[in-house]
Every structure is written in C-alpha cells, then in structure tokens.
Amino acid sequence: MDKLSIQCFFIFLVLTSFVTTVSCLSATTDSREVENEREFSYEQNKENGPSKWGKIKPEWAMCGKGDLQSPIDLTNKRVTIVTHFQKLTKDYKPCNATLINRGHDMMLRFEGEGPGSFMVNGTDEYKLLQLHWHSPSEHTINGRRFALELHLVHENINGSLAVVTVLYKIGRPDSFLRSLEKKLSVITDQSEAKKNVEMIDPKSIKIGSRKYYRYLGSLTTPPCTQNVIWTIVRKVRTVTRNQVRLLRVAVHDVNLFKL
Ligand SMILES: *[C@@H]1O[C@H](CO)[C@@H](O)[C@H](O)[C@H]1NC(C)=O
Ligand SMILES: *[C@@H]1O[C@H](CO)[C@@H](O)[C@H](O)[C@H]1NC(C)=O
Ligand SMILES: *[C@@H]1O[C@H](CO)[C@@H](O)[C@H](O)[C@H]1NC(C)=O
C-alpha cells in the first residue's frame, strides 16, 4: 500500500469504529414507551402510521419485524388461559402521581417511592411504574373490540416489562375513574398537559385475579420492545360513556369505534 491508501485505510477504520460506537449507544436507549406522540401516529395512511413505525428510527425496528408483537386477539394460540392455580399476587400501596395527556393516550405516572409491585409466577417481582388507557381496546376477544383498555406497566430489576391489563365495556361507572373525573376533565383536551393528583392507591382499581390470559408479547407503541409479559384479566369490567370520553384524548381513534 502507498502512503495515501494507508492514510485512507486508517480514516476508514476510525470512521467505522465511530459508527459502531454510535449505534451501540443508541441500542441501549430506553426500552420503555415513547412519551411524545408527534413522532408516530395511528393513522394508517400517514408516513408515520403503524405500518411504518419500524422504519422511523433504528431503535424502533422491532415494530416492523418482531415475531412477538402485541396486541393480538386473545383466541390466538400464543395465549394461555391461567385459572385458579396461580392467583395474581399484587402488593400495591398509595403513591404520589401525575396525570399526563400524552397526545395518544392518558397516563398516570407514579413518582418517588413507587406504588408497589406485582409478582409473576409468585417469585419474580415487577414494580408498578405507570398506568394508561387506550380507547377502543387494543386486544380483542374473538374479534370483539371493547370500549376501553387499561394497562398497568411494571418493570423488574433487569428492566424487563410486565403489563397487567383490564378490558371494559360500556355500563355502570368505574369507581377508580370516578375518583379521577374532575382532574381528568382539566387536561382531557390538552395535549402534553400534566396535573399532579397527589396520593393515588392502585389497590382501589378493580382488577380481579381469578382467571387471566397470559402471553409473551411487546409494547403496543414504539419502540415495540419485545419479551413483555402480558396478563389480561378475563373478567370484562364496565365504564360509562362519559368516563371513556374523558380518556379519549386524541381524534385518531374516534372513527374506529363509536361510543
Ligand atoms: C406530590 O408531588 C408534587 C409534585 O412533585 C408535590 O408538589 C406534592 O407536594 C407531592 N405530594 C405529596 C403528598 O407527597
Ligand atoms: C411461569 O411458570 C410456568 C410453569 O412453571 C412456566 O411455564 C412459565 O413460562 C412461567 N411464566 C413466566 C412468565 O415466567
Ligand atoms: C436478572 O438477570 C440476572 C443476570 O442475567 C439473572 O440471573 C436473573 O435471573 C434475572 N432476574 C430476573 C427476575 O429476571
């Protein structure tokens, strides 16, 4: 090699290692959900719609190619129905929380000490981080979509995620949502608005624990992180139309499901 090509080769090496370092750094970024709505949308025909999520950012690639993606229909063969032999073990306690209108959904984020945890298989502890609602539901049962779906998002010491889910149809009011109605109405139409709601006790959420669906899936929004343990409580609960309206923060889903 002459002097010039040695120099070129050296520059090439430096550049390669730089690119490798940068992509390694971005690969370690947060596996949790993205909080900003603007980067992706739910509109099928938009350039940042669900079918394109995997192409928007390298760290969202799983959205396009993952084989363990969520949501799914709960009659899917990946799903097992767990009954009496393993009760859901939860140890929740009151915790300071903030309601956040994320643009694509409404979230209740817990602060400080945290609101306790939930055990997977009786031994693996997953701490509750936040909960949020989707309307209409993302999971379906035999093709049927429900008015509302609650996700309680938990994380274990290794950063693995577990989501406990409750489905709701229109009917009698839900008491947990009733306790938040006034505060929700303040931020319901304001994207990225926040409101501290002081101490919230997740124990007052009616979950039920006797029967549930269990499968290994992913987050349902970018970065679509996989190996998320999904636990969907089998009993479908009820909410009023007005409670769902308070949680429907964006227009993207209004046409999908008439209340
Ligand atoms: C809850 O958090 C807010 C905001 O961080 C703070 O102003 C408030 O004093 C806290 N309340 C309690 C009961 O800890
Ligand atoms: C829970 O335990 C069962 C039986 O031991 C096992 O098949 C299953 O994979 C475990 N589930 C999780 C999420 O660890
Ligand atoms: C966390 O990771 C360590 C090391 O990889 C592993 O030994 C342990 O079983 C994991 N714990 C859980 C709860 O997944």
Side-chain angles (χ1 to χ4, degrees):
M1 278 198 264
D2 61 26
K3 217 168 167 188
L4 185 65
S5 55
I6 288 174
Q7 225 169 16
C8 284
F9 181 67
F10 185 69
I11 290 170
F12 170 78
L13 271 186
V14 170
L15 277 177
T16 318
S17 61
F18 175 73
V19 169
T20 316
T21 312
V22 167
S23 53
C24 286
L25 282 177
S26 62
T28 58
T29 51
D30 211 336
S31 62
R32 297 182 195 172
E33 290 176 48
V34 167
E35 293 205 0
N36 186 344
E37 144 100 339
R38 291 197 197 110
E39 296 177 297
F40 67 92
S41 106
Y42 281 89
E43 285 170 61
Q44 293 299 342
N45 303 324
K46 270 201 164 169
E47 69 215 24
N48 61 353
S51 61
K52 316 269 173 31
W53 286 355
K55 297 203 175 84
I56 297 173
K57 292 183 179 188
E59 61 272 30
W60 294 2
M62 210 42 95
C63 301
K65 63 168 198 235
D67 55 354
L68 288 178
Q69 288 292 295
S70 295
I72 58 175
D73 190 272
L74 295 172
T75 56
N76 189 298
K77 61 177 187 305
R78 273 161 57 197
V79 179
T80 47
I81 298 175
V82 183
T83 49
H84 56 278
F85 66 87
Q86 270 168 3
K87 252 186 108 183
L88 276 188
T89 325
K90 305 176 291 290
D91 183 17
Y92 293 150
K93 55 182 189 238
C95 177
N96 198 352
T98 302
L99 271 174
I100 302 170
N101 184 337
R102 292 198 286 187
H104 63 280
D105 66 19
M106 194 75 85
M107 171 171 75
L108 185 66
R109 192 181 60 202
F110 294 100
E111 328 269 356
E113 289 276 288
S117 58
F118 139 78
M119 299 294 224
V120 173
N121 266 355
T123 50
D124 300 340
E125 187 183 28
Y126 284 75
K127 293 206 159 105
L128 180 58
L129 302 174
Q130 49 109 327
L131 56 88
H132 62 268
W133 297 267
H134 293 274
S135 173
S137 72
E138 296 190 313
H139 287 92
T140 53
I141 302 178
N142 234 331
R144 180 176 174 200
R145 209 168 277 287
F146 295 86
L148 187 70
E149 178 166 337
L150 166 67
H151 289 172
L152 295 123
V153 182
H154 305 74
E155 187 180 53
N156 76 357
I157 46 161
N158 291 345
S160 297
L161 299 171
V163 183
V164 175
T165 292
V166 187
L167 297 166
Y168 301 84
K169 60 186 178 189
I170 299 298
R172 291 172 58 77
D174 174 70
S175 53
F176 180 69
L177 281 173
R178 180 178 271 167
S179 71
L180 290 174
E181 274 172 22
K182 270 208 190 101
K183 275 137 181 171
L184 277 168
S185 63
V186 176
I187 60 166
T188 192
D189 294 320
Q190 302 175 46
S191 195
E192 286 159 57
K194 290 181 187 184
K195 177 145 188 62
N196 181 264
V197 287
E198 299 283 326
M199 303 305 273
I200 297 287
D201 189 354
K203 247 193 266 173
S204 61
I205 303 172
K206 291 207 179 75
I207 295 179
S209 60
R210 298 175 71 83
K211 287 185 184 164
Y212 50 92
Y213 302 94
R214 170 68 57 79
Y215 78 100
L216 203 55
S218 73
L219 291 180
T220 58
T221 52
C224 309
T225 313
Q226 297 207 129
N227 294 314
V228 174
I229 299 169
W230 283 88
T231 303
I232 297 114
V233 177
R234 204 155 175 222
K235 184 177 171 68
V236 176
R237 299 201 168 265
T238 60
V239 273
T240 62
R241 285 193 171 78
N242 194 47
Q243 290 183 319
V244 176
R245 283 198 189 100
L246 285 173
L247 296 167
R248 276 196 168 183
V249 292
V251 284
H252 61 77
D253 49 23
V254 167
N255 296 327
L256 289 175
F257 190 90
K258 290 247 165 6
L259 282 175

